[in-house]
Amino acid sequence: MLRDERLKLILDFVNDNDYCSNEQISKHLNIPFTTLRRDLTDLHNESKLKRVHGGAKSIRERSILEAVLDEKLVTNIDAKRIIAKKALACIKPFETIFLDAGSTTYFLAEIIKPEFNNKIYTNSIINAQILAKNGVKDINLLPGRLKLSTIAICGVETIAALSKYNFDLAFLGINAVDKDYNFFTTDEDEAEVKRIAIRNSQFGFGLADMSKHNSKSFVKFSDKSQIALINEEV
């Protein structure tokens, strides 16, 4: 049996039963214990199931609530820096960019190259400050209501302003990614900002580390048919 086929069988069996002992999995799927332990470790490291003492548990799709930005900026930093570097590789000189609010876009703002002379629009006061500190010259801050928990600008004025512009690239923050690669955020106003940015861009990218996978949040704003996902593994 091929490894990928074996992993799918294990994952399906565990998800169907919520919890399975190693003995149950081994007996039902006819997989030797040594191979099973290695496979369960791999699936656990990929956040596809949770390995526990003597067996494995299904990872149910979680409902993610909004954390304040200060908390996000000190969480999964290494993964977010990897994602930011991958996103940077998508940017060419003189392109016009929409940079969404969020902690991962913050790390991208830190490393956007000033010599590329990009025109950047953002709905994040903090990201605008970081871009300025980085030496980026053409920074445009959208108007609107300030959401204090994320320091994101959103609302009717933001949507009206954003609707006037067209972008080469949009980089969007994501709060949750479900198993079908639908993308979610916690706020309807922020979701509408993201939708318009995607609609008005040639290419859209969603930035989300693996901790946000297998989860859902309040509002779906896009899916894999509309934007490309960048995480630390892809």
Side-chain angles (χ1 to χ4, degrees):
M1 187 187 303
L2 295 174
R3 176 180 177 274
D4 287 348
E5 180 184 356
R6 193 174 65 244
L7 292 180
K8 185 179 186 306
L9 287 173
I10 294 170
L11 187 59
D12 288 346
F13 185 64
V14 173
N15 284 337
D16 287 344
N17 293 277
D18 290 331
Y19 167 82
C20 300
S21 68
N22 291 339
E23 199 170 319
Q24 287 173 316
I25 302 170
S26 177
K27 184 177 180 179
H28 184 82
L29 301 178
N30 195 27
I31 299 173
F33 270 97
T34 52
T35 302
L36 178 61
R37 291 190 186 98
R38 184 172 63 248
D39 289 346
L40 289 176
T41 297
D42 290 344
L43 288 167
H44 176 89
N45 291 339
E46 292 171 11
S47 299
K48 292 180 178 177
L49 54 71
K50 183 175 182 180
R51 189 174 182 189
V52 296
H53 181 69
K57 290 177 64 176
S58 173
I59 297 178
R60 295 290 179 184
E61 288 190 336
R62 311 175 314 282
S63 180
I64 291 189
L65 301 176
E66 186 74 85
V68 297
L69 184 61
D70 286 348
E71 293 176 6
K72 293 181 180 180
L73 290 174
V74 295
T75 305
N76 299 323
I77 294 174
D78 290 343
K80 290 172 182 178
R81 290 194 188 281
I82 291 170
I83 293 168
K85 288 179 182 178
K86 290 182 177 182
L88 179 65
C90 301
I91 299 174
K92 297 177 182 178
F94 302 106
E95 287 184 320
T96 300
I97 296 167
F98 174 74
L99 187 65
D100 194 14
S103 57
T104 310
T105 55
Y106 170 97
F107 289 107
L108 176 56
E110 281 190 325
I111 59 173
I112 288 178
K113 298 178 180 179
E115 62 268 25
F116 273 18
N117 295 304
N118 298 116
K119 179 188 288 288
I120 300 179
Y121 287 77
T122 184
N123 63 329
S124 167
I125 293 172
I126 290 180
N127 284 356
Q129 291 174 324
I130 293 300
L131 288 165
K133 185 177 180 181
N134 188 24
V136 175
K137 297 292 191 292
D138 198 343
I139 305 164
N140 301 269
L141 190 60
L142 294 169
R145 174 179 62 85
L146 182 64
K147 183 180 175 184
L148 294 178
S149 61
T150 57
I151 319 299
I153 300 170
C154 54
V156 175
E157 290 179 85
T158 316
I159 291 166
L162 193 58
S163 297
K164 298 187 297 184
Y165 304 123
N166 293 300
F167 307 101
D168 294 300
L169 306 175
F171 294 99
L172 293 310
I174 296 174
N175 288 88
V177 182
D178 73 10
K179 59 183 177 60
D180 296 317
Y181 290 91
N182 296 303
F183 307 128
F184 298 83
T185 187
T186 59
D187 182 279
E188 180 59 55
D189 284 345
E190 287 197 60
E192 188 60 21
V193 168
K194 296 174 195 290
R195 292 185 192 113
I196 293 171
I198 293 167
R199 189 178 69 211
N200 290 5
S201 299
Q202 291 294 314
F203 298 100
F205 299 91
L207 312 183
D209 64 77
M210 290 301 295
S211 71
K212 296 174 181 176
H213 285 233
N214 296 311
S215 59
K216 289 185 178 180
S217 194
F218 183 56
V219 187
K220 175 186 170 182
F221 68 88
S222 187
D223 59 41
K224 64 182 179 181
S225 71
Q226 298 175 298
I227 60 175
L229 176 66
I230 302 178
N231 63 33
E232 65 268 39
E233 295 185 358
V234 174

